[in-house]
Amino acid sequence: MSSTYGEILKLSIFGQSHGPAIGMTLDGIPAGLPVDTEKLQAFLNRRAPGNNAFSTARKEVDAPEFLSGIVDGYTCGAPISAIIRNTNTRSNDYSNLKDCPRPGHADFPAQIKYKGYQDVAGGGHFSGRLTAPLCIAGGLCKQWLEREGIRIGAHISVLAGIADEPVYLDWVNPNLDAIGTDFPVLNPVAGAKMQEGIAAAKADGDSVGGIIECIAVGLPVGWGDPMFDGVESKIAQIVYGVPAVKGLDFGSGFTGSYLRGSQNNDQYRIENGSVVTRTNQAGGILGGITTGMPLVFQAAIKPTPSIAKPQESVSLTKMENQPLTVQGRHDPCIVPRAVPVIEAAAAIAIFDLYLKNGI
């Protein structure tokens, strides 16, 4: 099923943006793993709407209610099931979308695929709202990976044409604590300019996108498999499940295709009795297998498609052109809120690898 991910662990996401609740079920998790609910809530708060000037005005607490799988603060071996109740919905803003699809959204292809029965309110099950339960699962996996010495962090690499400091070229021992907490960048000056770019787009009734760079440190050598079960494939499958992700590369990625091999190869050396590389153009993966260096990938996030500017669309019942002004409450830029979502997706994929290779 398209709503299920994982090889050893099995994650299922359910619900719609304006339904009574959204949620997730996480199966295949060993018993006896501790769960810090306060730490999890802090992680979810980073993604939650309505917390800053460049977020949607929709306000949701995003407090998970665990229905099964956790007893007295520990996993018990049963499937972990949790829901988040939707409390601040305005479905009337979306009443015309079955007839007049929004540019940049799944409205039109979903109308054809589901024969008009899809839920259009808030985007239904295509909505970014469904990343909240993804972050429940990812927040838990992050906690469990940290117990094994594996840490995951992400920052905004590019937004509104403004670039943050890069990671993949020579940051072989990254300090994830250097990433800002209020606005996730390494260079606060660049972060301030990014926020100015968001504000300018919002004032113009428009939106901007960007690139998120994610880093995982502490992975051993040898996880993953060649061909179709490579680490890149595992991560790509779940990251592309995040709405608005339109591109993905690892290490030097597309930039590396412009280089010579002598520039793009990571040369080896011995350091403190271990084999390391001088650079990390490979992003910690060779042949689909982890190299022991930091795992680094970049996810391209498209501009929020719901914008205030009038746009051209069509009436599907009349089969004629029709102008459309999108209603509702939307982010002028979803990139800052997507940073913990990308971290969550990476954590789920890596914890699945851990269950297969690390125990």
Side-chain angles (χ1 to χ4, degrees):
M1 294 177 62
S2 62
S3 57
T4 300
Y5 169 86
E7 183 177 357
I8 306 301
L9 64 76
K10 296 293 182 182
L11 169 66
S12 293
I13 303 290
F14 60 87
Q16 291 110 253
S17 178
H18 286 200
I22 51 178
M24 68 96 209
T25 299
L26 187 61
D27 201 359
I29 303 302
L33 297 178
V35 174
D36 186 333
T37 54
E38 291 186 3
K39 188 174 183 179
L40 176 62
Q41 187 62 64
F43 179 69
L44 294 173
N45 290 345
R46 293 172 54 198
R47 192 224 68 95
N51 288 330
N52 52 57
F54 40 83
S55 174
T56 173
R58 179 177 177 177
K59 189 74 173 178
E60 297 282 2
V61 177
D62 281 3
E65 300 177 27
F66 286 96
L67 308 180
S68 64
I70 298 175
V71 177
D72 296 329
Y74 290 87
T75 59
C76 65
I80 301 170
S81 182
I83 62 171
I84 292 174
R85 299 188 186 276
N86 292 321
T87 60
N88 188 6
T89 60
R90 290 191 342 205
S91 299
N92 289 337
D93 289 337
Y94 304 85
S95 58
N96 66 325
L97 298 184
K98 284 190 178 182
D99 182 58
C100 190
R102 296 167 296 176
H105 285 271
D107 299 341
F108 172 65
Q111 171 82 349
I112 303 304
K113 179 175 179 63
Y114 298 115
K115 300 177 173 58
Y117 290 103
Q118 81 278 12
D119 181 5
V120 298
H125 59 287
F126 295 98
S127 172
R129 181 86 182 118
L130 274 296
T131 60
L134 180 74
C135 281
I136 297 176
L140 293 173
C141 289
K142 279 194 68 173
Q143 292 185 23
W144 300 329
L145 287 169
E146 286 174 3
R147 298 177 69 245
E148 304 301 322
I150 298 171
R151 296 185 63 205
I152 298 171
H155 72 119
I156 302 171
S157 177
V158 179
L159 192 154
I162 308 300
D164 192 19
E165 297 175 8
V167 167
Y168 64 82
L169 288 176
D170 55 11
W171 196 11
V172 293
N173 294 300
N175 175 17
L176 300 184
D177 294 327
I179 298 173
T181 53
D182 294 332
F183 194 81
V185 292
L186 294 163
N187 185 340
V189 175
K193 293 180 179 179
M194 291 177 184
Q195 293 177 66
E196 290 175 1
I198 298 173
K202 182 179 180 180
D204 199 29
D206 218 329
S207 64
V208 290
I211 299 173
I212 295 171
E213 187 166 52
C214 187
I215 311 100
V217 296
L219 278 76
V221 182
W223 286 8
D225 296 281
M227 297 292 288
F228 306 119
D229 279 336
V231 175
E232 299 102 324
S233 300
K234 297 290 189 183
I235 292 175
Q237 183 184 3
I238 189 167
V239 171
Y240 274 123
V242 177
V245 171
K246 299 299 287 184
L248 187 65
D249 67 5
F250 292 82
S252 61
F254 287 98
T255 302
S257 67
Y258 294 92
L259 304 177
R260 291 189 173 188
S262 58
Q263 297 171 302
N264 196 56
N265 287 345
D266 300 310
Q267 300 183 56
Y268 291 108
R269 66 180 180 182
I270 300 297
E271 186 176 285
N272 298 323
S274 298
V275 177
V276 298
T277 58
R278 295 181 181 275
T279 56
N280 192 26
Q281 302 273 17
I285 307 167
L286 289 171
I289 302 169
T290 55
T291 66
M293 302 304 290
L295 191 158
V296 183
F297 68 89
Q298 301 84 31
I301 311 294
K302 71 179 183 180
T304 312
S306 291
I307 58 177
K309 286 181 175 291
Q311 300 177 85
E312 296 180 5
S313 187
V314 296
S315 168
L316 297 177
T317 55
K318 299 177 182 178
M319 289 305 293
E320 63 184 28
N321 297 331
Q322 180 173 307
L324 172 67
T325 300
V326 175
Q327 305 298 318
R329 301 161 292 176
H330 308 284
D331 302 69
C333 180
I334 63 172
V335 177
R337 291 178 57 209
V339 169
V341 179
I342 298 302
E343 291 179 18
I348 294 164
I350 293 171
F351 193 71
D352 196 23
L353 286 167
Y354 166 74
L355 292 176
K356 182 178 180 180
N357 298 278
I359 294 182

